[in-house]
Amino acid sequence: MLKIGVSSKLLLQKQTKNVPNSEVAEPLKPKITKIKKAQKGVKKILKEFKLYSEPPLKEIPFVWKRSSNLEMFSYPESNYDITQSSGYEEADIINLHWVANFLDYSSFFKKNEKPVVWTLHDMNPFSGGEHYTELFKGIDESGYPIKRILSDFEEQEFKAVIERKKEAIKGFKNLTVVAPSQWLANEARKSEVFKGRPVHCIPYGLDPKIFAPRDKAFSRELLSIPAEKKMVLFVADSTSIPRKGFSFLKKALQKIEDENILLCAIGSNNSEIETDKNIIQLGSITDERLMSVAYSAADLFVIPSIMDNLPNTVIESLMCGTPVIGFPIGGISDMIIHEENGLLTRDISVDSLVEALNKFLAKPKRFNREKIRMEALKIYDEKIQAENYKNLFKKILKG
């Protein structure tokens, strides 16, 4: 937004990057009454003499009971009041992004009188607390996903959280929802929380100067990738997250009889990947230009996610001209144009992934990398994303 001349400020819960025009919000200080202060002091003295201990919790919190394989769960409450920040006071319009454990739904929508655009990055704003309401819980012996069955306990908690969210926003009129993918936009429209609210689809954008094709031979030399190998790239923060689908790719590669294939994995926690002569772990790469080198070195990028919004990794790959193979799910179906910039499998299964990989490996130069890059620029250039938001903001402020 700053690059196209729109005055913008970014309010953060935590500062992780040096972002211009940003400020960090301060959490609210808990109010401690004189009685509570006195009680705390008495308890401390009694504990020292072993005359008092904290009573056991009557009920283990819901998040403790969840499977460790499931992704993040968050509630619509927090100890922050973003309306107290200077950025909020100066703003004409509020654009919420990923606000888990930061936005306190009830107090914000009660205090705020400014129009709100809520950009969804996952399902949490309208879900019962999960960031992705995961449909599957693993992979069976035949290579198909195992359907997840919710417990009564989970369903009750989800329903309670959804009711709290509905109650928090029900009286607020000027709320517009934006989703990066058509899938997430449709899920938002169907949800109880955002039902009846205007929902727009604006895809993510990236800097085309950073994510651009690099010389393939130079890229491979830089990363120590043998020139003669057919390089398949996989990128994920962690292979242990079932939603990322690494188990499908792992089994698919075991079925492919091609000694010339090389899997390169990028990520900080890829403990499930056994390193051998046909697998290279490049570890965590935080520099975006170096990531563009990795995409440029690859013949193919594979994203085996079984549920996803509009993964940036796919955009990065396409902007570098590298074709993509993925399952026909979520925003990935928006991004991969079958037989033009990659291949969509026929379903979510190991065998369908094997078919797609074999089809590509039989003719690795089947795709025009320059054309892939040019088509990606028409959709994912960051200027297009910024202009779409600018036009939306103008429309809302005009009323």
Side-chain angles (χ1 to χ4, degrees), residues 28-243:
L28 297 172
K29 293 179 181 178
K31 293 180 180 178
I32 301 175
T33 63
K34 289 181 180 179
I35 295 173
K36 283 185 177 179
K37 197 172 183 179
Q39 287 175 338
K40 192 176 179 181
V42 171
K43 285 179 181 179
K44 188 177 179 181
I45 294 168
L46 292 174
K47 279 181 183 178
E48 287 176 0
F49 289 97
K50 297 184 179 180
L51 297 173
Y52 174 82
S53 61
E54 292 289 347
L57 291 170
K58 291 180 181 178
E59 185 180 292
I60 298 172
F62 175 77
V63 289
W64 294 1
K65 290 187 178 182
R66 299 177 78 240
S67 168
S68 59
N69 285 332
L70 292 170
E71 289 191 60
M72 185 176 174
F73 185 101
S74 57
Y75 289 100
E77 291 84 29
S78 83
N79 64 332
Y80 285 87
D81 181 357
I82 68 174
T83 65
Q84 292 184 7
S85 68
S86 61
Y88 171 84
E89 291 173 5
E90 294 170 24
D92 297 303
I93 194 163
I94 308 301
N95 187 188
L96 301 174
H97 280 268
W98 200 88
V99 288
N101 300 323
F102 188 23
L103 181 77
D104 185 78
Y105 286 48
S106 182
S107 65
F108 172 75
F109 285 105
K110 190 180 288 183
K111 290 182 178 182
N112 176 54
E113 295 180 352
K114 300 180 181 186
V116 173
V117 172
W118 199 333
T119 300
L120 310 180
H121 298 283
D122 56 32
M123 303 173 79
N124 181 259
F126 58 84
S127 79
E130 293 192 317
H131 284 250
Y132 281 93
T133 306
E134 297 176 64
L135 304 176
F136 309 110
K137 65 170 188 177
I139 184 171
D140 64 20
E141 291 180 359
S142 301
Y144 284 89
I146 301 169
K147 189 175 180 182
R148 177 187 175 195
I149 299 172
L150 296 177
S151 65
D152 291 341
F153 180 65
E154 285 175 313
E155 289 185 343
Q156 288 169 12
E157 191 72 0
F158 294 171
K159 187 176 180 181
V161 171
I162 287 171
E163 288 302 317
R164 298 214 294 273
K165 290 178 178 178
K166 284 166 61 180
E167 181 64 26
I169 71 169
K170 73 175 184 180
F172 189 78
K173 304 291 183 186
N174 204 343
L175 173 62
T176 303
V177 179
V178 172
S181 68
Q182 292 292 349
W183 165 75
L184 194 57
N186 290 332
E187 291 295 313
R189 291 185 186 105
K190 292 187 293 183
S191 72
E192 291 183 52
V193 177
F194 292 139
K195 193 175 182 181
R197 304 281 183 174
V199 179
H200 300 263
C201 183
I202 300 178
Y204 293 132
L206 295 176
D207 187 336
K209 291 180 181 177
I210 293 176
F211 289 100
R214 313 293 173 185
D215 181 77
K216 190 171 186 177
F218 170 76
S219 298
R220 289 206 172 191
E221 185 180 349
L222 191 66
L223 298 172
S224 300
I225 306 296
E228 72 280 3
K229 292 285 187 178
K230 296 172 184 174
M231 176 183 161
V232 173
L233 184 65
F234 170 79
V235 182
D237 282 338
S238 175
T239 52
S240 62
I241 299 172
R243 184 177 63 83

